[in-house]
Structure formats: structure tokens, C-alpha cells
Amino acid sequence: TGLSNEVLLGSRPLRRGRYRQTQAFFLIANYEQVMRDWREINTTLAPDLVILDEAQRIKNWRTKTAQSLKRLEARFAFVLTGTPLENKIDEFYSLAEFIDPTLFGSRFRFNRRFYSFDEEGKVGRMQNLDELHESAVKIMLRRRKSDIAEQLPERVDKNYFVGMTPGQR
């Protein structure tokens, strides 16, 4: 877009000042900055929209990164990732929870709905996947490689041979 943007740089005190003073439409920050500054972002910047690029950083809900970023308060949220979900529905849950925490409810409720459990309470197989797909359509634009294959450049393989050091030999 032609809208203004600013890359957030500097120490925490400098960043706090930028949250108060920026006139940019887009403020671009890295995950580590947001992890440290989420309170100031919510109270001072108060964004209407948060876009996470390379959102695979929050696929594991246990990480400090995911937990911190999910504290961001914005009316609208997008997550962008080119990394496949690899049939791990709890990773999908983590991404979906950032976009709309009400879509699936609690993790406990999600697990009970979409996993089966054995007598000992251990996770068995996935279940109700048609229902999961129907819910995902509400929040997810999924592009398969076959859908965009003609837009991708040709694959280029280059082999570089590097000699071993004496220690490696």
C-alpha cells in the first residue's frame, strides 16, 4: 500500500516513545520486541489491527512468544505463514486462538472435541475433522501448492563441494 510505515528500532525506552508518537499507519516490530512490550502496545499504541508474519512462531502454544503475543488486544488480527501445519491440529488451534479466541473455546474443550482418548486419558487419534474443516473455513484462506504452482519460480538446484579440514578428515 502507499500507507506510511515505520520499523520499530532501539531500546525499550525508545520504543515506548515511538508507541506514543508514531504517525505511521503500520508499525513494524519483531517478535522479541512485542514479547517485551505487549503491555505498552495495548495501552499506549492500542492497535486496531495486528498482523503476524511468519506466524509459525506461535504454533506451539507453550512458548513465551505465543503466550505474550496472545495478550495483544486488537479488533482485527491476521496470521500469515507459509509453513505447513503437518496434521497437528493443536498447532492450528494455537493460530486460530490468536485470530478468534472464541471460535473453539478452551484448549480442553477443543481437545475433547477433536481428539479421542484411551482409558488412561492419553491422546489417541483425531476425530470430527469435517467439523474442524468447517470451522477453519471461517478464518482461514488456505492455498495449496497446486493452486499457485504456476506462480512459483522454477526450482534451481546448485551443488557446492567443500573440502574437509584436516580435523574433519
Side-chain angles (χ1 to χ4, degrees), residues 95-112:
L95 296 174
E97 183 182 40
F98 181 81
I99 297 167
D100 182 358
T102 66
L103 182 64
F104 294 113
S106 70
R107 178 170 305 284
F108 175 81
R109 192 169 155 206
F110 177 84
N111 287 344
R112 291 287 170 210

Side-chain angles (χ1 to χ4, degrees), residues 8-21:
L8 190 61
L9 300 171
S11 65
R12 191 159 185 203
L14 287 173
R15 294 193 311 267
R16 285 181 178 159
R18 297 312 311 146
Y19 298 137
R20 283 190 295 281
Q21 299 168 357

